[in-house]
Each structure stands twice: as structure tokens, then as C-alpha cells.
Amino acid sequence: MTDGLEDAAHLAGVPDEFQRLWTPHRMAYIQAGPEPLREECPFCAAPAKSDADGLIVARGTAAYVLLNLFPYNSGHLLVCPYRHIATYDEATAEEVAEIGALTQTAMRVLRQVARCDGFNIGMNQGRVAGAGVDGHLHQHVVPRWATDANFFPIIAKTKALPQLLGEVRESVASAWPTG
Ligand SMILES: [Zn+2]
């Protein structure tokens, strides 16, 4: 970490072609690029870290929820099985059920803490379908607001994010129901 620039390659997330403009933090960019070099699967590595370091907001029995390091929107969550499986049809009945239940809880929590108006929810299966991390299944839960579209993605391949990831993780995790 030097002067606002952080090597993001060790954190979990699904990269895309966008740069991020971290608006509250002295206009600093995270220079992750579209394909950060990784030595291991980020979704296998994250659960071994602390919640804060792994950007994890909730841990279940077969699946867990974390913030996407490369969010489309503030509050962009990912629901992953712990097991390193690539596609949805490889998931067990228990994993399917818990991914579904965690997705529902994620919607309720985001509606409460982020006051969003809608969601995009889905899984990209395979690199040809747009999966940035195609080896480990993950469901996107992206909150949407009526006012969230702006000109940044069009003119600069840049998305403006109004909250830093640590603050978002803290607010989502603290609102997550226990038990
Ligand atoms: Zn994995």
C-alpha cells in the first residue's frame, strides 16, 4: 500500500474491463487491471482469511457471501460454495439450497442498508459467458438504484463508487441476521 494504490491481486473478486474510481479516498485508483495475476483461486482463499481481510459478510455451512472486489455497484455481493466447483449443475442439493437462502438474505440486507430499488442476480457459467473467475461458482447479487446509471462507464470505462469496500462490508455484515 503506497499512497492510496493497492495491489488487489490477493483479494477476492470478479474482474471486468472497468477501472474503479474510489471517489471518497483522494481520487485514488486501484490498479488491479482486468486480469490480476493470481496464484490461487480467490474464492477458495477468501474463507481462510478474517472477515475483514476476505471481504466476507456472512459464512454458512456449505456456502458464504463476500463483497466483489470489482463491484458493478456499491454493495455488489457474491454468493459462493466453499467447494471449488465450476458450474451450477455440479452443486449438491445442500449447496443449491444454501446459495439460494443466502441470496435471499443478501437481498433483504441490501434493501435495508442500501435502500436499493432493484437487483441483478445471476451466474456467468464459463469464460465465454463472461465469468471472470470461471473455475469457482459464484452468484452475483448487484443492488440497483433508479439513479445509479451515470456517464462514467460510457466515457471512461470507469465506474464511480460512492463507498469504500471496507465500509460497505461493515454495514452489510452488521445488518446480516445471525443464527
Ligand atoms: Zn476455488
Side-chain angles (χ1 to χ4, degrees), residues 26-172:
R26 295 182 300 158
M27 308 292 279
Y29 284 86
I30 290 202
Q31 302 285 8
E35 290 286 346
L37 291 173
R38 284 174 167 148
E39 291 164 6
E40 59 184 340
C41 170
F43 300 136
C44 286
K49 300 175 182 173
S50 70
D51 286 358
D53 287 347
L55 297 175
I56 292 171
V57 298
R59 297 173 190 256
T61 307
Y64 72 102
V65 185
L66 77 169
L67 256 61
N68 191 354
L69 179 64
F70 304 92
Y72 304 156
N73 251 341
S74 190
H76 181 167
L77 301 180
L78 301 170
V79 183
C80 304
Y82 292 114
R83 264 189 338 129
H84 186 88
I85 51 171
T87 60
Y88 189 54
D89 56 303
E90 295 176 70
T92 65
E94 184 195 9
E95 287 164 341
V96 168
E98 192 162 33
I99 289 167
L102 289 170
T103 299
Q104 288 188 319
T105 304
M107 293 176 67
R108 294 179 189 125
V109 169
L110 287 172
R111 211 181 271 122
Q112 178 192 330
V113 303
R115 306 265 175 231
C116 52
D117 305 310
F119 298 92
N120 292 111
I121 291 173
M123 301 176 182
N124 300 325
Q125 303 283 277
R127 192 159 291 267
V128 294
V133 178
D134 61 353
H136 196 135
L137 182 68
H138 52 278
Q139 167 128 286
H140 294 263
V141 181
V142 184
R144 300 299 304 269
W145 295 265
T147 55
D148 67 10
N150 61 49
F151 57 87
F152 279 117
I154 299 162
I155 63 167
K157 278 201 166 188
T158 297
K159 296 202 62 137
L161 300 169
Q163 259 185 305
L164 288 170
L165 286 175
E167 298 170 16
V168 176
R169 195 210 68 81
E170 186 62 40
S171 63
V172 173

